[in-house]
Amino acid sequence: MSDAKFTTLKGLGHFDRLTDEASSKHAARFLEKMKTRHTVREFSSDPVPREIMESCIAAAGLAPSGANHQPWFFGLVGDPAVKREIRLAAEEEERAFYGGRAGDEWLDALAPIGTDAEKPFLEKAPWLIAVFAQRRGGVESGMDKKNYYINESVGIASGFLIAALHQAGLSVLTHTPKPMGFLNEKLGRPATEKPFLLIVAGYPVAEAKVPQHALTKKPLKDIMKVY
């Protein structure tokens, strides 16, 4: 028999059941908010208060995870010198990517978005968030246990983070140069952590452009089926 201990939601005071009407309104409001989320690559250098970023990352840290081990680490980078180092390292990998590593099919898929090896946003935006997936850890800091469902857990947390940043009125770019091992070096993270995602966050410039290609979203009927 399990010896797990539990606390009720009622005891926590963290759940109030809504009426169907209220629930529907909340869901629709969130959908409309998320429809305004667009990836941009033209960021303003206008500062964003650190406490905003910390609140968004704290929200990401509340995501569900395998065995509640929370196998993630978020490196919040605002130092211009460190951002510069990350840009140079990322662009080195990107030049190799666009120079042949990617292959024609991948490059054809990227063509409508208009990306290339130059990544000035890594310096221009006020904040970068390097998301790391931890192979070992545990429910408390300093533990050294095997983590489970790592990619799934970190992926969910990253989704929480992107939604929180958008809710805070910021624009976001998800950047994944491959390989990303340079992030361990630049940020002094251990080999047991694997770079998962580099998130660029800040305000867009007034005339920030969004590729028409990126505005095409599959309708609900194509991504869901009721069984």
Side-chain angles (χ1 to χ4, degrees), residues 83-95:
K83 289 194 295 180
R84 173 68 175 171
E85 290 184 15
I86 289 175
R87 176 186 177 180
L88 293 176
E91 288 183 339
E92 182 177 351
E93 297 298 344
E94 293 289 80
R95 283 191 291 272

Side-chain angles (χ1 to χ4, degrees), residues 203-224:
Y203 300 112
V205 298
E207 300 300 321
K209 297 181 290 294
V210 178
Q212 287 291 329
H213 177 77
L215 298 177
T216 301
K217 304 298 181 184
K218 295 177 181 178
L220 183 61
K221 67 178 180 63
D222 289 346
I223 65 171
M224 185 193 81

Side-chain angles (χ1 to χ4, degrees), residues 67-86:
N68 192 37
H69 279 198
Q70 303 149 67
W72 44 64
F73 180 85
F74 303 91
L76 181 60
V77 183
D79 186 318
V82 180
K83 289 194 295 180
R84 173 68 175 171
E85 290 184 15
I86 289 175

Side-chain angles (χ1 to χ4, degrees), residues 29-61:
R29 191 178 302 124
F30 183 73
L31 173 59
E32 292 306 308
K33 179 66 176 179
M34 294 309 292
K35 284 181 179 179
T36 67
R37 190 212 66 80
H38 301 290
T39 296
V40 301
R41 291 172 173 78
E42 298 165 293
F43 285 86
S44 164
S45 59
D46 291 347
V48 173
R50 178 173 141 184
E51 57 265 28
I52 295 176
M53 305 302 296
E54 290 177 345
S55 291
C56 292
I57 292 173

Side-chain angles (χ1 to χ4, degrees), residues 110-192:
L110 289 173
I113 298 176
T115 57
D116 57 30
E118 299 300 313
K119 309 298 177 185
F121 47 76
L122 293 175
E123 282 191 273
K124 190 71 178 291
W127 294 106
L128 305 179
I129 307 171
V131 183
F132 291 87
Q134 298 177 325
R135 296 183 180 92
R136 300 193 65 81
V139 69
E140 296 178 8
S141 298
M143 285 184 169
D144 186 28
K145 296 183 178 181
K146 180 181 178 180
N147 287 332
Y148 302 92
Y149 298 104
I150 300 170
N151 288 336
E152 295 87 345
S153 300
V154 179
I156 294 169
S158 297
F160 271 42
L161 178 54
I162 292 167
L165 290 166
H166 183 60
Q167 186 69 29
L170 302 178
S171 286
V172 166
L173 168 68
T174 53
H175 185 42
T176 52
K178 291 290 190 296
M180 290 192 287
F182 62 84
L183 288 173
N184 293 74
E185 175 191 351
K186 303 302 180 185
L187 302 182
R189 302 309 302 169
T192 53

